[in-house]
Amino acid sequence: MQAAQTTEKPLTFIKSKADSPQGADTQVDASGTWTLAQIEALFALPFNELMFKAQQTHQANFPEGDVELATLISIKTGGCPEDCGYCPQAARYDTDVKADKLMNLDDVLEAAKAAKAAGSNRFCMGAAWREPKDRDIEKVTAMIKGVKALGLETCATLGMLEASQAQALQEAGLDFYNHNLDTSEDFYRSVISTRGYQDRLDTISNVRAVGMSVCCGGIVGMGESRQQRAAFLTRLANLSPYPESVPINHLVPVAGTPLADQAPLDPLEFVRTIAVARITMPRARVRLSAGRQELGRSVQAMCFLAGANSIFYGEQLLTTANPEAEQDRELLAELGLKTKQSSKSEVLI
Ligand code: SAM
Ligand code: DTB
Ligand code: SF4
C-alpha cells in the first residue's frame, strides 16, 4: 500500500498578532495547520504553563509513558563533500574525524546484536554521504535485512534519496528514514550552502511516497533566534503527516567546524523547544538526540517532563560521545521511566 505523499501546509503568518506572540492563541485550527504566531505564542508562555500543557498532551497520547531507546552506528564515516557548518564529518573542515569506508555486513550485525542485548529498540545506520550511489543502496539493503532479522526496528540516514532508492530501502524492510530539516529555512542558508531546503523536503516526500515512516528533526543552539526555532518547528509540524520520529539535537560544537565556538543555548530554551515539539506533534516520538552529555541530568529530567520520549542510547553517536548506557539506565530508573518494549516478536538472539 502506498502512503500519502508528504505535502507541506503553508506557513501562515497571523498579521494582526504576529508582532505580539503573547496575544496569539496557542491552539491549532481544525485543519491541523499551525501558524508561526501560534508556535511563537507557545514558546512565550510562562514556563510552568508550557510544561503543564506539554505534559497534558504527553499523557493523553502516550499513557504508557515509556522511553524508546535508539542506537546509532556510523556505517560510513567522514570525507563528506557537503558543507554543513555543524558537522565534523565534512571533508572540508579540519577536524579529528578520520574518514573510513563503508563497514562490512558482519561488523554492522555484531553492533546490532550488542545494541539489542543492551535493550535497544531501534538501530539507526548513518552514513556521511551527500546521497548514496545505487551500489551503496545494495550494500545497505543487506544490512537492513540482517538487522531486522534480529528483531530490531531499522532506521537509516544516508543523505538525499531518489524515489527509486527509497523504494529499494522500503522493499528491504527499512522502517524509518532519517533526514532532518535541521532549522528554519532562512537560518538554514547561513549554515549549509551545498544543498537547499527544498532538496530536503523532496527526500522526505520520496520516503513518504513509498510508505516508510519519517524521522525528521533538527539542531538547536546554532545561533538561531527564538523566532527561527519556532519557524523550524512550524515547518515540521505542518508536514502532512508530521514525522513519526522527531530528533531534537542540541549542537555539539566540534573543533575545526565553523560552529566550533558557538555559545551554548540557554538550557531552559532547549526544554521549551522540546515542550513545543510535543504539543505540536502530539503522537510523535520526540527524541533527545545529540548534546545530551552536555545537558546533564536535571535538564534531561525536565525534557522528559516536557514530553521527550526517546533517546539515542549507547556511548557513541556518529563521531561524538553520548552518555554511557549504564548512566542512562540509572537516570531512567531514578526518574521511574520505563523503557519501551520491543514491538517485534521475532527475537532471534
Ligand atoms: N549525511 C546524512 C545527512 O546529512 O542527512 C546523514 C548523517 S548527518 C550526520 C545526520 C544529522 O546529524 C544532521 O542532519 C544533523 O542534524 C545531526 N548532526 C550532525 N552534526 C551534529 C552536531 N555537531 N551537533 C548536533 N547535531 C549534529
Ligand atoms: C539525528 O538527528 N541525530 C543523529 C542522527 N540523526 C543520525 C546524529 C547526531 C550526530 C552528532 C554528531 C556526531 O556524533 O557526529
Ligand atoms: Fe555530510 Fe551529513 Fe555531515 Fe552534512 S551532516 S556534512 S551531509 S555527513
Side-chain angles (χ1 to χ4, degrees):
M1 195 188 65
Q2 294 256 311
Q5 183 94 351
T6 302
T7 52
E8 226 201 331
K9 294 182 197 146
L11 237 189
T12 330
F13 294 80
I14 297 179
K15 292 276 182 286
S16 58
K17 291 183 175 171
D19 293 335
S20 166
Q22 307 256 20
D25 81 87
T26 56
Q27 295 295 325
V28 70
D29 66 19
S31 74
T33 305
W34 288 92
T35 65
L36 176 61
Q38 284 166 336
I39 294 194
E40 284 190 278
L42 284 172
F43 267 98
L45 283 174
F47 188 76
N48 287 354
E49 229 177 282
L50 176 61
M51 295 292 274
F52 183 64
K53 216 175 170 61
Q55 185 54 215
Q56 274 180 317
T57 308
H58 191 58
Q59 289 193 19
N61 290 284
F62 289 93
E64 60 288 7
D66 58 6
V67 175
E68 172 191 73
L69 305 179
T71 297
L72 254 181
I73 183 173
S74 181
I75 58 170
K76 194 271 165 193
T77 305
C80 182
E82 298 290 273
D83 72 348
C84 310
Y86 47 75
C87 186
Q89 303 199 68
R92 66 190 71 204
Y93 307 137
D94 185 13
T95 68
D96 287 342
V97 171
K98 190 172 87 42
D100 228 338
K101 56 184 188 351
L102 186 62
M103 279 176 76
N104 70 49
L105 177 61
D106 288 347
D107 291 344
V108 172
L109 296 184
E110 277 312 305
K113 281 180 194 163
K116 171 92 190 164
S120 208
N121 308 113
R122 187 178 301 176
F123 194 67
C124 178
M125 294 163 271
W129 287 320
R130 170 182 166 81
E131 71 256 294
K133 300 189 178 64
D134 287 346
R135 67 168 185 274
D136 299 322
I137 292 284
E138 267 175 49
K139 292 181 183 150
V140 175
T141 53
M143 296 175 187
I144 293 165
K145 287 176 187 161
V147 174
K148 259 192 101 75
L150 297 171
L152 282 158
E153 282 181 350
T154 50
C155 179
T157 181
L158 316 171
M160 294 187 288
L161 277 193
E162 297 293 339
S164 59
Q165 297 177 320
Q167 184 69 47
L169 294 174
Q170 189 274 338
E171 282 166 12
L174 187 65
D175 298 303
F176 290 80
Y177 193 78
N178 167 240
H179 199 66
N180 290 340
L181 287 182
D182 271 347
T183 186
S184 67
E185 189 165 10
D186 63 338
F187 191 70
Y188 182 93
R189 284 185 270 278
S190 58
V191 182
I192 301 161
S193 75
T194 48
R195 76 174 104 155
Y197 214 70
Q198 188 57 47
D199 294 324
R200 293 188 180 245
L201 292 165
D202 291 347
T203 290
I204 294 161
S205 180
N206 288 340
V207 170
R208 272 278 174 238
V210 297
M212 277 191 293
S213 294
V214 169
C215 173
C216 180
I219 312 180
V220 295
M222 296 194 288
E224 75 284 349
S225 64
R226 175 182 274 184
Q227 192 198 42
Q228 288 166 326
R229 276 188 291 283
F232 154 61
L233 289 184
T234 308
R235 293 302 282 257
L236 279 184
N238 285 340
L239 290 172
S240 185
Y242 59 77
E244 285 79 2
S245 286
V246 178
I248 303 290
N249 297 275
H250 186 298
L251 174 73
V252 179
V254 180
T257 63
L259 290 175
D261 299 321
Q262 183 59 48
L265 184 70
D266 177 346
L268 292 182
E269 185 67 11
F270 185 77
V271 178
R272 281 184 186 272
T273 307
I274 298 290
V276 176
R278 164 53 61 227
I279 293 164
T280 55
M281 293 172 276
R283 291 287 312 152
R285 282 274 169 188
V286 175
R287 181 173 312 125
L288 293 183
S289 304
R292 263 191 324 114
Q293 213 162 23
E294 293 72 18
L295 292 179
R297 285 154 40 93
S298 312
V299 178
Q300 288 185 72
M302 277 198 274
C303 290
F304 290 125
L305 191 61
N309 59 356
S310 176
I311 58 172
F312 277 126
Y313 175 66
E315 61 279 4
Q316 174 90 355
L317 291 164
L318 292 174
T319 65
T320 64
N322 200 39
E324 297 287 331
E326 178 60 27
Q327 230 177 300
D328 279 338
R329 283 195 293 269
E330 276 172 23
L331 176 63
L332 294 175
E334 189 174 347
L335 298 175
L337 287 166
K338 294 188 301 278
T339 55
K340 183 183 170 206
Q341 295 307 302
S342 173
S343 54
K344 312 282 174 185
S345 51
E346 70 277 23
V347 180
L348 299 182
I349 59 168

